[in-house]
Amino acid sequence: MSTTASKAETTLKEGAKKEGLKEGDLAPAFDLPGAGGEKISLAALKGKKVVLYFYPKDDTSGCTKEAIEFNALRDSFAKAKAVIVGMSPDPIKNHDKFRAKYELSLPLASDEGKDTLSAYGVWVEKSMYGRKYMGVERTTVLIGPDGRIAKIWRKVKVPGHAEEVLAAAKAL
């Protein structure tokens, strides 16, 4: 292969990476530890609809509201044959405290290595008060029973979001 072709191929791959995942793409696999000693993997959820919501940090106001809203709708999601999984880079110990404090029963996966967060394109550079840092962009991904991404919500605003995702899961 010529150097020019090699550079073009690299540029194409980088461009695809920057575009990120799209609806219809195969959802990246993951196998992570979860709160309460659970093991959470996409392979174990094969054949089910999966609501994978990414959030920045346990026990912060927005993340707490989001978790409580999804948790409150667990039965409705179950009737729609959908499983909810929350994911953040927080350690298991934090997830355990967070679940206990707010009586959450939904699975919370820990991605301290940020490999899955990166694969889904949610580990991004953020900016607050002029300071740049890396963090999780609040995002929800609805994965169909076929393992493909059915819908993506980026830069999520929490109020009413869980109901919107539930409606999409029912329609899938």
Side-chain angles (χ1 to χ4, degrees), residues 6 24 30 32 35 70 77 90 108 139 145 148:
S6 175
F30 60 86
L32 295 167
F70 273 120
F77 276 101
D90 289 316
L108 298 177
T139 302
R148 296 204 170 271

Side-chain angles (χ1 to χ4, degrees), residues 145-161:
D146 61 356
R148 296 204 170 271
I149 296 173
K151 185 141 179 71
I152 302 173
W153 293 264
R154 298 185 195 281
K155 297 183 181 179
V156 167
K157 302 291 181 230
V158 173
H161 176 63

